Amino acid sequence: MNASRAVALDIDGILCDFEGHWANCARRVLSWPDLKKLNEAYHLHDRYGIPKVDAHHVWDTFHHEVEWASVPLYDHARDLVYALEDMGCQVWAVTSIRAEFYQARVDSLCGLLPAGRVICVNPAHAPTEKAATLQRVGAVAFLDDQADNANAAVSVVGLSVLLDRRYTGLEAPTSDVVVIDDPMDYPVLVETMLRRTRLTD
């Protein structure tokens, strides 16, 4: 495994189905079995039409290790990581969550990545801290589902990619960010970048 080929992924929205798990938690906590997504608003209470006071109850329940540890992997998660590893990449996960939930995040990945390559950053300063983390681990590429994080990463990685989940109410990606709508496009982009890099070395 070539350390110079370190690549990084966000967890929620990239590897794990945070939205689906949160919505199921809301149905359980609020006893709303028919809760449905209404739009693509970034804030979940707006996305599902939940009054803020009720959303606070959901978050109070969700912010426990058992919930974070139970966020399920997407069907594509293993294929995504394995495709990157097959290219000789060292895959890291960089996630915006309080450090107290670190072990829960490791558990949610079900052994897909070593615990030592899962890094939590302060959600209140996610773009800045994610960029600093990417620089520290020497990542050459990064995939996130929030444009502010992808925008911040541009200055420290050769390839910053946004998985466009069409959230509304967030900043737009800059022209330096590559936008995709299928997570499996990321390994293709990484492979292309690595080939070009080798040609110019």
Side-chain angles (χ1 to χ4, degrees):
M1 200 78 66
N2 190 336
S4 67
R5 292 189 187 173
V7 298
L9 306 165
D10 182 25
I11 293 182
D12 295 312
I14 301 295
L15 293 174
C16 290
D17 184 8
F18 168 78
E19 177 184 355
H21 192 59
W22 191 92
N24 284 333
C25 180
R27 292 182 185 100
R28 185 175 72 249
V29 170
L30 303 176
S31 298
W32 292 2
D34 297 326
L35 182 68
K36 290 182 173 55
K37 181 161 70 172
L38 304 179
N39 52 55
E40 300 298 339
Y42 172 68
H43 293 292
L44 287 162
H45 62 273
D46 291 331
R47 200 181 305 175
Y48 285 87
I50 301 173
K52 284 187 179 180
V53 65
D54 292 321
H56 286 313
H57 293 314
V58 178
W59 281 114
D60 286 344
T61 299
F62 200 90
H63 280 318
H64 290 86
E65 286 200 20
V66 65
E67 293 294 345
W68 282 112
S70 309
V71 181
L73 291 171
Y74 284 118
D75 291 341
H76 66 255
R78 294 187 185 280
D79 290 339
L80 176 57
V81 171
Y82 295 160
L84 293 165
E85 290 180 340
D86 286 346
M87 284 184 265
C89 294
Q90 184 184 77
V91 184
W92 293 74
V94 182
T95 180
S96 306
I97 192 173
R98 299 199 305 259
E100 67 190 271
F101 297 118
Y102 164 75
Q103 188 57 52
R105 294 301 12 216
V106 171
D107 293 345
S108 71
L109 293 176
C110 303
L112 187 56
L113 294 177
R117 281 196 254 126
V118 178
I119 300 176
C120 299
V121 303
N122 185 341
H125 308 288
T128 301
E129 292 201 8
K130 283 194 174 188
T133 299
L134 296 171
Q135 187 168 40
R136 187 172 75 250
V137 304
V140 297
F142 178 54
L143 175 64
D144 203 292
D145 67 333
Q146 293 188 38
D148 55 350
N149 296 325
N151 290 343
V154 163
S155 63
V156 296
V157 299
L159 175 67
S160 184
V161 182
L162 172 69
L163 178 62
D164 185 7
R165 294 202 172 276
R166 292 168 176 77
Y167 302 135
T168 59
L170 296 179
E171 71 179 67
T174 69
S175 59
D176 295 316
V177 173
V178 179
V179 180
I180 60 176
D181 57 15
D182 183 337
M184 293 308 297
D185 287 341
Y186 180 64
V188 178
L189 293 169
V190 170
E191 183 175 31
T192 300
M193 181 193 67
L194 292 175
R195 282 179 179 169
R196 288 175 177 168
T197 301
R198 284 199 293 272
L199 287 172
T200 56
D201 282 344

